[in-house]
Every structure is written in C-alpha cells, then in structure tokens.
Amino acid sequence: MSVDIQPSHIDQIKQANIGLVYRLIDQYGPISRIALSKKAQLAPASITKITRELIDAHLVKEAEFHEPGFRGRPAIGLKVDSEGWQFLCIRINKGSIVVGLRDLSSNLLVEEELPFPVLQNQSFLDRIVDEIDNFFFRHQSALERLTAISVIINAIVDPVNGIIHSSPYYDIQDIPIGAFLHQRTGLPIFLQHSITAWTIAESLCGTGKNCQNLIQLVIDDNVGAGIITAGQMLHAGNQSVVEIGHTQIEPDGELCYCGNRGCLETVISIKNILQKARCLATQYPCSLVNTMTTNNVPLTIDLLCQAAIEGDPLVTDIIHDAGERIGRIMAIMVNIFNPEMILIGSPLNDVKHLLYPAIQQQISQRSLPGYSQQVDIVATQFNNTDTFPAAALIKQSLYSGELLIALMQG
C-alpha cells in the first residue's frame, strides 16, 4: 500500500532538518560533516545535500580546524558564514525606542536608544518607520544585506499575525505592525512580547541553554513569566507571556490597571516595593531608607538593594516578604510544570542572597517533594534593556529553518 505524503509535510521536514543542521554548525562549528551527521542523526548523504545548499546560499562556509589529539593535516569543517548578513532589532519601551543592527551571529554592529514620543497627529506605525528611516540614514555606511526585522514590546501581542493588540504605555489597539513593516520593507517581520523574547534568549544562549523545562520570572515595573516545556515556548502561537503578575494574592488590595485588586504585580513590582519602603520608613528610625526619606533623597532600586546588602532591617523584611509571596505562586507553577530551573530576571538579583532562600522555602513547603527538590533558582545571564532579546527571535527562526528557507529562496 502506498503512503500519500503531502508536499507540505515534506517541506516541513526539510525546513526542520535545515534548521537543525544550521543550529549544530552554529553551536559546534567548525565541525566536520561526519560529526555533524552523528549529532543530527541524519544520513551522510542528507548532510552533504543540506550543507551544499547552505554553502551555495553563503550561510555556511568551510574552514580548516585541528581535531583534538590529531597531529596530521587540518580537517575541513563547517561554520556559520555571517558576513554581509544583517538584521534590524527594535525594542519599544515606555517613551523610548532602541534600534540595533546585528549580523547573523547576533553580534552587535550599532545600537541607539532614542526618545519615542508619539505625536497627536502622527500614527504609531508612521513614527516607527520614521525612526527606522532615520537610523538607516545615519548608519548607511554600515548597512549591507538586510534580511529581517524583529520587534519586541511590553504589550499584548499576536506574534503569528504580527499584531499589537494593546499596550500599557501607548494608546494603540490592534495595530498590524507585521503587515505594515513587511509592506514597507519586503522583509520578514518577527514580533514578540519582550518577556517572551528574553526567555527565548536565555534558553538559546544564556543561563537556560540546553534546559528543556524552565520558568523565567521577571520582576520589574511589570511582573510576568515565560515558560519553556519540552524545549518549546508555552503558547508560542499567541499570548505567550504567562500573566502571573495578575494573579490575585490580596482580595482587598490595591486596584491594578488590569481592573482586578491585589494582583501580585501590585505588591512585588519594583515601583510598589519602593513605595512600600517609603511608606514604612518612619517605623524603622534606624533604617537608611528613613534617613533618605527624611533628607528628600530619591529612593532607587539600586539604593534599596545596597541598604539590604548592608543589613538594613526594613529592606530585609520587605525583600523577604516579597520572596515569600513569589514563592507561593511559584510553588503552584512548579507543581504544574515540573521545571528543572527557575530563572529570575530582576534588579532584585542584587539581593538574591535574601530573595532566593525565601522563594525556595515556600516552594519546598508547598510543592511536591519530587518536584521541588530538583528545581534550581538562578539569575538570568542577560538583562532586558538592549536589543539582544529581539535578536533571539531571529536566532530562533534560523534554528527552526523558517528564516533559512526564506533566505535561501532569495
């Protein structure tokens, strides 16, 4: 009996195999074709065909290298050819935009952070295009072969259809940024929430590299999480940020901008932690925070962490309380997802000697022993201020084969 294989299935297999081979060359190159065949678990003939296509497209090139323990002539291996290939990364923040030009290996060529006021009579999309055009004009001498644009923003997004549904910082609704930029540039456009992009960056190149099951918790002005399970981003096809920041922990608490009361974010976000420290300062006369408040010194998270490091009792109590509240939520997440690792991305990593034990204690008390005993709490490798998380979207699309196929087809 013959099996009818749809061409789309064959194309998907080809795309996955090309992405796999490219990823292994990127991670282990220079690597011989024999070693590549073993790691990819593909036949040597398949490796030969795929690598020839990648070489012809100038995405991979041959290079001599010395194999360990072998004294003869250098072997011929393969490595990524990123020369001339470039992509644009855009990070949209509250009131600012960061634009970066990187090569195909994610190396930064030039990056600028600029004010991003959206004027009353100017559309959000037009403002972005103006910034891109101005960036290209200023750095035209550095431009070569532009291949894609990636955009990250702290907003509710539809990454598959390239739509920004809403943002806490801008008065926008259902903006088709993907289609708009593609129409203007002809390039593939990648869109994602900044927390999700950061989680992808950590899983590909950072602390979570080679970890198949992880939770990344972000504690900043906003609180959210990215989850990778079985090597895949949870809900990657839609709103992939897990909004644990809007889990209610105080039913009669502060009103949140989401419309609920007592959300986790209203308690442990950086701005709320600073507000709590200022409110409680008078109850701790010996606290450095009380001294700063009395002398009208602006309280920042860096100063707060420094006070905690010096043993300030007020700040120590606040950090410990935040850790316990986080730990209760994370214990539920551990029971559901059984992660190997919990990554913390936050300015509070400066006081992780206080924060992490409080989180770990709650996880140990409230989740299954078999799960809680195997999970490690560690700090992220990267921060979330530049365009590297946006670059991770490009890296991911190369490793999946999606962008590679587009580049190979011209």
Side-chain angles (χ1 to χ4, degrees), residues 73-242:
R73 294 174 59 185
I76 300 296
L78 298 164
K79 68 177 185 178
V80 166
D81 186 0
S82 61
E83 186 175 352
W85 295 101
Q86 298 173 339
F87 58 91
L88 195 70
C89 298
I90 299 172
R91 176 190 196 89
I92 302 170
N93 297 322
K94 180 182 180 181
S96 71
I97 186 170
V98 187
V99 184
L101 185 67
R102 294 176 180 264
D103 68 18
L104 216 55
S105 294
S106 298
N107 298 314
L108 184 64
L109 304 175
V110 60
E111 184 176 88
E112 292 180 342
E113 181 170 9
L114 304 160
F116 191 65
V118 179
L119 305 178
Q120 189 172 3
N121 295 323
Q122 184 180 36
S123 81
F124 184 81
L125 292 176
D126 288 338
R127 188 78 177 85
I128 292 173
V129 170
D130 285 350
E131 291 299 342
I132 293 174
D133 288 343
N134 292 335
F135 180 86
F136 286 161
F137 179 77
R138 288 190 297 272
H139 303 289
Q140 54 187 313
S141 62
L143 284 171
E144 293 189 52
R145 188 167 32 182
L146 201 65
T147 61
I149 298 175
S150 62
V151 180
I152 60 173
I153 183 172
N154 179 22
I156 297 175
V157 301
D158 176 351
V160 173
N161 296 302
I163 297 171
I164 303 174
H165 289 302
S166 63
S167 165
Y169 307 138
Y170 298 98
D171 184 18
I172 55 177
Q173 187 171 6
D174 300 330
I175 299 290
I177 188 171
F180 184 84
L181 291 179
H182 176 71
Q183 185 178 23
R184 294 293 294 263
T185 65
L187 297 172
I189 309 298
F190 298 91
L191 171 70
Q192 192 51 272
H193 192 290
S194 57
I195 290 178
T196 303
W198 189 4
T199 305
I200 292 169
E202 291 291 338
S203 70
L204 291 179
C205 315
T207 304
K209 188 175 181 179
N210 299 323
C211 183
Q212 293 295 298
N213 300 282
L214 66 84
I215 299 172
Q216 176 166 321
L217 175 67
V218 174
I219 310 164
D220 212 311
D221 284 344
N222 299 101
V223 177
I227 297 176
I228 291 178
T229 179
Q232 299 295 317
M233 198 78 202
L234 185 68
H235 305 317
N238 46 43
Q239 288 76 28
S240 49
V241 173
V242 178

Side-chain angles (χ1 to χ4, degrees), residues 4-16 405:
D4 182 20
I5 300 177
Q6 297 295 324
S8 60
H9 294 170
I10 295 173
D11 291 341
Q12 289 172 4
I13 292 170
K14 178 182 178 181
Q15 176 180 308
I405 294 293

